[in-house]
Amino acid sequence: MTRGSLGIAAIVLAAGCSSRTAPLHKLLTPDATGLPMIARTLRAITASRANPVIVVLGHRAAEIRSAASTDMPAQNAPRFITAPDHACGLSQTLSAGIHAAGTYPAVAGALVCLGDMPLIGTALIDRMIDAFLTGPDHPGVLPVHDGRRGNPVLWSRSLFPTLMHLTGDQGARPLIRRHEPDMLRVTAGPEITADFDTPARLADFARCFTDG
């Protein structure tokens, strides 16, 4: 499926060193079909209405880019960029992605996705985009399951300058705390809190997607 017209960018954060699963890198780990985690994550995002899709690289950038391109149709290929200060924390990776999204004049917002959340589906992404476009004056959209928020998070372009000036390794958490009361909410499943960032969870991922 080709992506739709410009409106909401998707930023995929894939620059971390994966220290909790060392010596394995979680984004390079294959699922039951042999597809690397980062490619599995991107499969759903690139099939969505998000456009452009921007993948932010850093640690082991060449390997992650190669893995991300596994079985990727040419028409769905994302834009790859490298965050020069990725070692300084998640905020620098996010900043690089937001800056890149901001270079597209027609982009009204950005959906920030984590590379290690391959269970996030296209349908959820499109519902979040639809929700935002029906009320673009809101600061963004949060997915919620059983009263608990998760990822991805969609941010309005009006907050791009703030997002680019965050510091540390906690990403946009301070901004979520500040704007959460005014953000739209989309009901989601438990996948919004399911990441794969420990050896045990990587073993779980290796058994996922047996149907391809």
Side-chain angles (χ1 to χ4, degrees), residues 86 88-93 165-172:
H86 63 91
C88 296
L90 182 60
S91 62
Q92 298 306 303
T93 304
H165 288 90
L166 296 172
T167 59
D169 199 38
Q170 57 181 334

Side-chain angles (χ1 to χ4, degrees), residues 12-199:
V12 183
L13 306 182
C17 64
S18 197
S19 59
R20 294 183 66 187
T21 60
L24 299 176
H25 195 299
K26 59 188 175 183
L27 298 186
L28 299 175
T29 300
D31 64 19
T33 73
L35 195 66
M37 184 185 296
I38 184 61
R40 179 62 69 179
T41 298
L42 280 170
R43 179 170 288 190
I45 297 169
T46 57
S48 77
R49 292 175 51 208
N51 189 24
V53 175
I54 300 165
V55 181
V56 188
L57 305 170
H59 184 70
R60 296 174 67 173
E63 293 172 81
I64 300 298
R65 178 169 183 162
S66 178
S69 302
T70 304
D71 293 340
M72 176 70 68
Q75 69 270 22
N76 281 9
R79 173 185 173 187
F80 292 96
I81 66 170
T82 299
D85 298 323
H86 63 91
C88 296
L90 182 60
S91 62
Q92 298 306 303
T93 304
L94 176 60
S95 177
I98 292 292
H99 179 269
T103 64
Y104 296 84
V107 164
L111 185 76
V112 179
C113 307
L114 305 182
D116 67 345
M117 296 189 71
L119 302 186
I120 300 297
T122 300
L124 174 60
I125 294 170
D126 283 345
R127 286 196 293 116
M128 292 181 67
I129 291 173
D130 287 341
F132 179 79
L133 293 178
T134 62
D137 292 335
H138 292 273
V141 182
L142 290 169
V144 178
H145 174 68
D146 283 346
R148 183 181 178 187
R149 57 176 167 79
N151 287 293
V153 177
L154 199 164
W155 293 103
S156 168
R157 188 185 185 102
S158 64
L159 289 172
F160 282 12
T162 305
L163 287 162
M164 285 190 289
H165 288 90
L166 296 172
T167 59
D169 199 38
Q170 57 181 334
R173 289 178 186 173
L175 206 59
I176 292 175
R177 287 194 292 268
R178 188 185 315 164
H179 292 283
E180 185 171 3
D182 299 316
M183 297 180 78
L184 300 173
R185 285 164 173 75
V186 168
T187 301
E191 72 275 6
I192 66 170
T193 59
D195 55 14
F196 294 89
D197 60 356
T198 67

